[in-house]
């Protein structure tokens, strides 16, 4: 009854209607947006694929690599009959105006540092902080660097749940670029930032405030100086931009979206981080037992 009451209330707000099972109205829609706990992504995704619909799956694509592989296989088989079907993953940080401003400058990073921390959300406890939170930055930095990963180190600890709630990861890419990522869902305040260091330049992005600061070494009449610029950003809601772009792609227009192949790659990196975290926890337990 609670779900019905809440569902009806939200549907009325957006001039729609609530149904207990989405399959009841599947034949009336062209696109399905799956916004459910991660553990249900595989099941719902497979059902939506069978219906031949465009799909926007909230991040991550699935709970683990095995489920992702099954989804991708079913998706690719369905493209034989319907090659224009769009299947996207909701890595919405790619649509943050500050990220779009950064990419337009073609900044080449040599070192990246991300911080994504917040108070405990009282949700998503079925997955660890890597799948729940860090996945945003894993997807983003791999897209920005654009090189294969060479090495991953990570340390994490469970705090309020049985899974890792705080993780620090170090990733080295082929070509020498490196990144350090910190994700926590047990912090006292919220912070979502990305710092990039390049050739005689430094950029700081604040995802929450949608601000971008650029420091660069320039030649002035008095000699070399540090130039500090606060880049003007036209603010926008990343989720709204993402959905609008996905909608355009479904219509056959030039709409940008994160493909299931890219979502798969993000989970591959997440899997490497999770395995490194497990190793660090085992070493910690062995060291404790020796004391």
């Amino acid at each position: 009854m609670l779900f019905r009451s809440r569902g009806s209330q939200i549907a009325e707000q957006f001039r729609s209607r609530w149904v207990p099972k989405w399959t009841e109205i599947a034949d009336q829609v062209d696109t399905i947006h799956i916004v459910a706990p991660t553990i249900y992504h595989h099941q719902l995704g497979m059902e939506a694929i069978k219906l031949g619909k465009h799909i926007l799956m909230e991040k991550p694509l699935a709970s683990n690599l095995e489920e992702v592989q099954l989804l991708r296989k079913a998706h690719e088989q369905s493209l034989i009959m319907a090659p224009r079907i769009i299947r996207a993953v909701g890595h919405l940080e790619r649509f943050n105006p500050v990220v779009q401003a950064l990419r337009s400058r073609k900044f080449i990073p040599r070192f990246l540092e991300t911080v994504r921390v917040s108070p405990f959300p009282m949700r998503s406890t079925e997955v660890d902080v890597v799948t729940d939170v860090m996945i945003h930055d894993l997807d983003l930095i791999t897209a920005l660097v654009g090189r294969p990963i060479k090495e991953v180190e990570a340390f994490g600890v469970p705090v309020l749940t049985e899974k890792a709630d705080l993780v620090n990861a170090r990733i080295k890419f082929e070509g020498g670029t490196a990144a350090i990522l910190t994700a926590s869902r047990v912090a006292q305040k919220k912070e979502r930032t990305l710092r990039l260091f390049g050739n005689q330049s430094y950029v700081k992005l604040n995802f929450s405030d949608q601000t971008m600061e650029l420091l660069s070494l320039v030649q002035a009449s008095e000699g070399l100086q540090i130039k500090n610029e606060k880049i003007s950003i036209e603010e926008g809601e990343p989720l709204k931009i993402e959905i609008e772009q996905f909608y355009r792609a479904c219509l056959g227009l030039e709409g940008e979206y994160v493909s299931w192949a890219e979502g798969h790659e993000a989970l591959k990196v997440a899997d490497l981080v999770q395995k490194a975290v497990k190793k660090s926890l085992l070493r910690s337990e062995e060291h404790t037992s020796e004391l």
Side-chain angles (χ1 to χ4, degrees):
M1 291 298 294
L2 177 61
F3 291 122
R4 181 182 295 276
S5 175
R6 181 61 176 153
S8 298
Q9 182 181 17
I10 294 173
E12 183 179 354
Q13 179 183 351
F14 292 97
R15 291 178 291 181
S16 183
R17 68 188 181 93
W18 178 85
V19 292
K21 294 182 179 180
W22 64 279
T23 50
E24 293 182 17
I25 57 170
D27 61 341
Q28 302 172 35
V29 301
D30 299 312
T31 300
I32 295 174
H33 189 177
I34 298 176
V35 190
T38 303
I39 56 174
Y40 300 113
H41 284 192
H42 170 252
Q43 173 195 336
L44 295 174
M46 293 296 279
E47 292 177 10
I49 289 171
K50 290 177 182 177
L51 293 169
K53 306 296 182 179
H54 299 295
I55 304 171
L56 174 55
M57 177 79 77
E58 278 307 304
K59 65 81 194 167
L61 187 50
S63 297
N64 53 58
L65 286 179
E66 182 181 359
E67 291 182 349
V68 170
Q69 289 163 355
L70 291 172
L71 278 173
R72 281 201 65 192
K73 182 178 179 180
H75 161 63
E76 289 164 4
Q77 289 176 341
S78 72
L79 292 181
I80 298 173
M81 299 298 295
R84 295 185 179 180
I85 286 291
I86 302 298
R87 304 268 162 74
V89 190
H91 286 290
L92 60 81
E93 213 66 276
R94 294 232 209 156
F95 300 90
N96 194 308
V98 292
V99 173
Q100 295 177 327
L102 172 70
R103 299 185 83 165
S104 69
R105 287 177 170 267
K106 303 187 185 304
F107 187 90
I108 301 175
R110 295 300 307 276
F111 179 80
L112 306 90
E113 180 184 24
T114 72
V115 176
R116 189 173 294 267
V117 301
S118 63
F120 193 68
M122 303 304 292
R123 59 160 184 76
S124 299
T125 55
E126 76 280 0
V127 295
D128 64 10
V129 74
V130 176
T131 308
D132 180 29
V133 175
M134 185 181 280
I135 192 75
H136 283 294
D137 297 315
L138 293 173
D139 168 69
L140 189 56
I141 65 166
T142 52
L144 290 173
V145 175
R147 290 178 179 270
I149 290 174
K150 184 177 180 180
E151 183 181 343
V152 174
E153 297 179 354
F155 175 80
V157 290
V159 181
L160 299 179
T161 73
E162 296 180 354
K163 302 181 183 295
D165 296 309
L166 185 154
V167 170
N168 178 269
R170 295 175 176 85
I171 299 177
K172 295 180 181 178
F173 296 86
E174 291 184 8
T177 302
I180 295 179
L181 303 89
T182 299
S184 171
R185 53 187 182 188
V186 289
Q188 291 185 314
K189 63 178 182 178
K190 188 173 183 179
E191 181 181 349
R192 294 159 53 204
T193 55
L194 168 62
R195 296 176 176 85
L196 307 97
F197 301 83
N199 182 28
Q200 298 185 334
S201 56
Y202 155 82
V203 177
K204 178 183 177 181
L205 306 184
N206 187 314
F207 297 115
S208 299
D209 297 343
Q210 295 188 4
T211 56
M212 176 176 172
E213 187 176 359
L214 173 64
L215 280 76
S216 54
L217 189 64
V218 297
Q219 181 69 50
S221 57
E222 301 84 2
L224 290 174
Q225 292 185 351
I226 298 294
K227 181 181 180 182
N228 189 336
E229 299 178 76
K230 290 193 175 180
I231 309 301
S232 177
I233 304 291
E234 184 178 346
E235 293 186 11
E237 173 53 51
L239 179 59
K240 182 175 182 290
I241 297 171
E242 176 190 56
I243 293 175
E244 287 174 345
Q245 288 293 312
F246 173 67
Y247 178 67
R248 286 180 57 83
C250 292
L251 292 176
L253 305 174
E254 292 185 0
E256 181 181 353
Y257 63 94
V258 182
S259 69
W260 279 20
E262 292 172 293
H264 189 179
E265 289 301 314
L267 266 175
K268 285 182 182 178
V269 185
D271 184 67
L272 292 174
V273 173
Q274 290 168 327
K275 287 177 178 175
V277 168
K278 287 181 181 179
K279 286 183 180 179
S280 72
L281 287 173
L282 285 173
R283 288 195 297 267
S284 178
E285 290 172 1
E286 289 171 358
H287 177 70
T288 302
S289 64
E290 292 173 358
L291 297 178

